[in-house]
Coordinates of all heavy atoms in Angstrom, one line a residue:
C83 N 92.1 111.3 88.2 CA 92.8 110.8 87.0 C 94.3 110.7 87.2 O 94.9 109.7 86.7 CB 92.5 111.9 85.8 SG 90.8 111.9 85.2
V84 N 94.9 111.6 88.0 CA 96.3 111.6 88.3 C 96.6 110.3 89.1 O 97.6 109.5 88.9 CB 96.8 112.8 89.1 CG1 98.2 112.7 89.5 CG2 96.7 114.0 88.2
V85 N 95.8 110.0 90.1 CA 95.9 108.8 90.9 C 95.9 107.5 90.1 O 96.7 106.6 90.3 CB 94.8 108.8 92.0 CG1 94.8 107.4 92.7 CG2 95.1 109.9 93.0
L86 N 95.0 107.5 89.2 CA 94.9 106.3 88.4 C 96.1 106.2 87.3 O 96.5 105.1 87.0 CB 93.6 106.3 87.5 CG 92.3 105.9 88.3 CD1 91.1 106.3 87.5 CD2 92.3 104.4 88.6
A87 N 96.6 107.3 86.9 CA 97.5 107.3 85.8 C 99.0 107.1 86.3 O 99.9 106.6 85.5 CB 97.4 108.6 85.0
T88 N 99.3 107.5 87.5 CA 100.7 107.5 88.0 C 101.0 106.3 88.8 O 100.1 105.7 89.5 CB 101.0 108.8 88.9 OG1 100.0 108.8 89.9 CG2 100.8 110.1 88.1
P89 N 102.3 105.7 88.5 CA 102.6 104.4 89.3 C 103.2 104.6 90.6 O 103.8 103.7 91.2 CB 103.6 103.9 88.2 CG 104.3 105.1 87.7 CD 103.3 106.2 87.6
Q90 N 103.3 105.9 91.2 CA 104.0 106.1 92.5 C 103.1 105.8 93.6 O 103.0 106.7 94.4 CB 104.6 107.5 92.4 CG 105.5 107.8 91.3 CD 106.7 106.9 91.2 OE1 107.2 106.5 92.2 NE2 107.1 106.6 90.0
W91 N 102.5 104.6 93.7 CA 101.7 104.3 94.9 C 102.5 103.8 96.0 O 102.2 104.2 97.2 CB 100.7 103.2 94.4 CG 99.5 103.7 93.7 CD1 99.4 104.4 92.5 CD2 98.1 103.7 94.2 NE1 98.1 104.7 92.2 CE2 97.4 104.3 93.2 CE3 97.5 103.2 95.3 CZ2 96.0 104.5 93.3 CZ3 96.1 103.3 95.4 CH2 95.3 104.0 94.5
V92 N 103.5 102.9 95.7 CA 104.2 102.4 96.8 C 105.6 102.0 96.4 O 105.8 101.6 95.2 CB 103.5 101.1 97.5 CG1 103.5 100.0 96.4 CG2 104.2 100.6 98.7
S93 N 106.6 102.3 97.3 CA 108.0 101.7 97.1 C 108.3 100.7 98.0 O 108.1 100.9 99.3 CB 109.0 102.9 97.2 OG 108.7 103.9 96.2
S94 N 108.7 99.6 97.6 CA 108.9 98.4 98.5 C 110.4 97.9 98.4 O 110.9 97.8 97.2 CB 107.9 97.3 98.2 OG 106.6 97.7 98.5
E95 N 110.9 97.4 99.5 CA 112.2 96.7 99.4 C 111.9 95.3 100.1 O 111.6 95.2 101.3 CB 113.3 97.5 100.2 CG 113.7 98.8 99.5 CD 114.9 99.4 100.2 OE1 115.4 98.9 101.2 OE2 115.4 100.4 99.7
V96 N 112.1 94.3 99.2 CA 111.9 92.9 99.7 C 113.2 92.3 99.7 O 113.9 92.2 98.7 CB 110.8 92.2 98.8 CG1 110.5 90.9 99.3 CG2 109.6 93.1 98.5
R97 N 113.5 91.7 100.9 CA 114.9 91.1 101.0 C 114.8 89.6 101.2 O 113.8 89.0 101.8 CB 115.5 91.6 102.4 CG 115.9 93.1 102.2 CD 116.6 93.6 103.5 NE 115.8 93.5 104.7 CZ 114.8 94.3 105.1 NH1 114.6 95.4 104.3 NH2 114.2 94.1 106.2
Y98 N 115.6 88.9 100.5 CA 115.7 87.5 100.4 C 117.1 86.9 100.6 O 118.0 87.7 100.3 CB 115.2 86.9 99.1 CG 113.7 87.1 98.8 CD1 113.3 88.2 98.2 CD2 112.8 86.1 99.2 CE1 111.9 88.4 97.9 CE2 111.4 86.3 98.9 CZ 111.0 87.5 98.3 OH 109.7 87.6 98.1
S99 N 117.2 85.8 101.1 CA 118.5 85.1 101.2 C 118.5 83.9 100.3 O 117.6 83.2 100.2 CB 118.9 84.7 102.7 OG 118.0 83.7 103.1
R100 N 119.7 83.7 99.7 CA 119.9 82.5 98.9 C 121.3 82.0 99.0 O 122.1 82.7 99.7 CB 119.5 82.7 97.4 CG 120.3 83.7 96.7 CD 119.8 84.0 95.3 NE 120.5 84.9 94.6 CZ 120.2 85.4 93.4 NH1 119.1 85.0 92.9 NH2 121.0 86.2 92.8
T101 N 121.6 80.9 98.5 CA 122.9 80.3 98.7 C 124.1 81.3 98.3 O 124.1 81.7 97.1 CB 123.1 79.0 97.8 OG1 122.0 78.1 98.2 CG2 124.4 78.3 98.1
G102 N 124.8 81.7 99.3 CA 126.0 82.5 99.1 C 125.7 84.0 98.9 O 126.7 84.8 98.9
S103 N 124.6 84.5 99.0 CA 124.3 85.9 98.9 C 122.9 86.3 99.4 O 122.0 85.4 99.6 CB 124.4 86.4 97.5 OG 123.5 85.7 96.6
N104 N 122.7 87.6 99.6 CA 121.4 88.2 100.0 C 121.0 89.1 98.8 O 121.8 89.7 98.2 CB 121.5 89.0 101.2 CG 121.8 88.2 102.5 OD1 121.3 87.0 102.5 ND2 122.5 88.7 103.4
V105 N 119.8 89.0 98.5 CA 119.1 89.7 97.4 C 118.1 90.7 97.9 O 117.2 90.3 98.7 CB 118.5 88.7 96.3 CG1 117.9 89.6 95.2 CG2 119.6 87.9 95.8
T106 N 118.1 92.0 97.5 CA 117.1 93.0 97.7 C 116.4 93.3 96.5 O 117.0 93.7 95.5 CB 117.7 94.2 98.4 OG1 118.4 93.9 99.6 CG2 116.6 95.3 98.7
I107 N 115.1 93.2 96.4 CA 114.3 93.6 95.3 C 113.6 94.9 95.6 O 112.9 95.0 96.6 CB 113.2 92.5 95.0 CG1 113.9 91.1 94.8 CG2 112.5 92.8 93.7 CD1 114.8 91.0 93.7
S108 N 114.0 95.9 94.8 CA 113.4 97.2 95.0 C 112.2 97.4 94.0 O 112.4 97.4 92.8 CB 114.5 98.3 94.8 OG 113.9 99.6 95.0
L109 N 111.0 97.7 94.5 CA 109.9 97.8 93.6 C 109.2 99.2 93.8 O 109.2 99.7 94.9 CB 108.8 96.7 94.0 CG 109.2 95.3 93.8 CD1 108.3 94.5 94.7 CD2 109.1 94.8 92.5

Side-chain angles (χ1 to χ4, degrees):
C83 291
V84 171
V85 167
L86 282 167
T88 53
Q90 304 300 325
W91 276 66
V92 65
S93 299
S94 297
E95 289 186 358
V96 187
R97 296 183 298 278
Y98 292 90
S99 66
R100 63 186 181 189
T101 306
S103 63
N104 291 329
V105 179
T106 299
I107 309 297
S108 179
L109 301 160

